[in-house]
Amino acid sequence: MTRDAHRAALRTTSPTAFWLDRPERPAALPRLTADTTADLAIVGGGYTGLWTALLAKQREPGRDVLVLEAGTCGHAASGRNGGFLSPSLTHGLSNGAARWPGEIGTLQRLGNANLDAFERDLDTHGIDCGFARTGKVSVAATPWQADALRGAAALGAEHGEKSRLLDRADLRDWVDSPMWETGLWQPDYALVDPARLVWGLRDACLAAGVRIAEHTEVTGLDSKPADRIRLTTPYGEVAARRVALATNIYPPLLKRFRLSMVPVYDYALTTVRLTDDQLASIGWTGAHGITDAGNQFHYLRKTADNRILWGGYDAIYPFGGRVDEALTQRPETFGTLAAQFAETFPALADVPFSHAWGGVIDSTTRFCMFAGTAAAGRIGYALGFTGLGVGATRFGADVVLDLLEGRATERTGLEMIRRKPLPFPPEPVRYAGIQATRWSMAREDLNGKRNLWLRTLDRLGLGFDS
């Protein structure tokens, strides 16, 4: 397929996240226009903030909870992701086992319990977001990626995970591409419609009595008053007994996080609607999601109306950590993704794409969330989900509430919670290091060899992932 053909496939795309481009997208709620008070004020109206608000009301229905959102709930990462819901709290078993070997059994158990509780809460609040435990197939394009899948299967079996290795013949029953020779079936994954999830959480919060102010940016935080935390917004001030920060990569209002996270931009396409025959031509007749096993990996799934969402590969860090909506459109990445889609599925090479978008991920050096408190326990936070926030944000919300309530729980006692990730270096070292890491990971994808730079990062417990 020629470069012109790839451009043609992208010619009519909408520069909007597919999930958010819906007539049922709710109208914005009014902004805060006067001073107010709250028992608990939550900054951020994505998954973390809304789960924190909803669980706070479940714990204490009489608690006055206020959510402050700079845009609209779910307009950022929570409405733009792929909708993969992993039971892992640690960006996968291998990452968790490497970092917290003494706790990995507990982390696995808590992760599975969190996924079960996630599903129960959806049922309790009538949140229709297409939740389904469809499972996931990881696929390998090279012998070294196949070896990695075998290693993952062995580690999973050691820790009680269900999985099944698929050879080339077996894999064709799940998906058929000339690129992939080996697969790993993992049944304990779910898929959701990410925008309907965040809108459903918003509705559930409102029904529980949570106040939500949209288009209300918090521009300042003052923790000096002994009785209340003061939050400044353009049109009113909030005096709150407790504050939870759920800001993803946006300004967290505490300077201590300046080097804790970096913004990484991820991109995705959706095809136009496909026929059942078109999907059958690539052997994808089930509802499962798919990821490939490269460092620069792709994630793909079907939507309810028979499109394929195809995302990942590029992970773009802008110099200086700039967060800018303009960076969510990157034609060169969309062109790369379109070419890779055609190479992966030759039978669908002429299929055009309907939507092309990007979003920003709050990445940490350990690939997963961190949480804690400030201001003598009056401010809590859960941040750094590194692209795995659909399920883990609910766990993070529980942790934040435990910490703000002064409760010593199994969750708050985890080393994962007690210890924070190593910081990134300042610029320009940070940018140079990230670019060296991206180049090294791309080389490993090609030759299967982990170079000195990557081995050094492994020893230091640092990392960067697409």
Side-chain angles (χ1 to χ4, degrees), residues 255-392:
K255 291 182 180 179
R256 67 179 64 182
F257 300 131
R258 187 170 59 90
L259 299 177
S260 296
M261 299 174 289
V262 297
V264 174
Y265 283 81
D266 177 59
Y267 299 91
L269 306 171
T270 48
T271 66
V272 297
R273 294 182 183 183
L274 302 177
T275 66
D276 290 341
D277 286 344
Q278 284 175 306
L279 290 169
S281 73
I282 61 169
W284 196 358
T285 56
H288 52 280
I290 300 170
T291 59
D292 65 41
N295 289 318
Q296 295 178 287
F297 68 91
H298 300 88
Y299 53 89
L300 50 156
R301 57 163 298 179
K302 293 189 286 190
T303 66
D305 61 351
N306 263 18
R307 303 169 196 263
I308 292 178
L309 183 152
W310 171 261
Y313 187 74
D314 266 348
I316 305 300
Y317 169 72
F319 183 83
R322 184 163 64 102
V323 177
D324 187 338
E325 184 64 19
L327 297 176
T328 64
Q329 288 294 306
R330 195 168 192 268
E332 56 267 49
T333 292
F334 297 143
T336 296
L337 286 172
Q340 291 169 337
F341 181 86
E343 184 181 14
T344 302
F345 298 123
L348 303 180
D350 295 329
V351 167
F353 297 95
S354 64
H355 294 75
W357 73 96
V360 63
I361 295 168
D362 53 342
S363 297
T364 72
T365 56
R366 69 186 191 190
F367 300 157
C368 60
M369 64 159 286
F370 64 96
T373 61
R378 295 182 297 152
I379 299 173
Y381 53 84
L383 302 164
F385 290 90
T386 316
L388 199 76
V390 180

Side-chain angles (χ1 to χ4, degrees), residues 38-121:
D39 294 327
L40 173 63
I42 299 165
V43 184
Y47 293 145
T48 309
L50 294 174
W51 274 120
T52 302
L54 187 59
L55 296 179
K57 277 293 194 179
Q58 287 180 190
R59 293 185 181 201
E60 189 179 333
R63 182 161 25 188
D64 180 22
V65 180
L66 170 64
V67 174
L68 303 168
E69 166 54 48
T72 56
C73 292
H75 80 282
S78 296
R80 305 188 193 199
N81 62 85
F84 283 74
L85 211 169
S86 167
S88 175
L89 304 173
T90 60
H91 210 113
L93 173 58
S94 60
N95 186 54
R99 297 182 187 279
W100 302 288
E103 288 186 344
I104 189 59
T106 300
L107 288 165
Q108 289 287 98
R109 173 172 53 80
L110 290 174
N112 287 321
N114 176 68
L115 183 57
D116 290 341
F118 189 111
E119 184 174 13
R120 286 197 303 272
D121 283 343

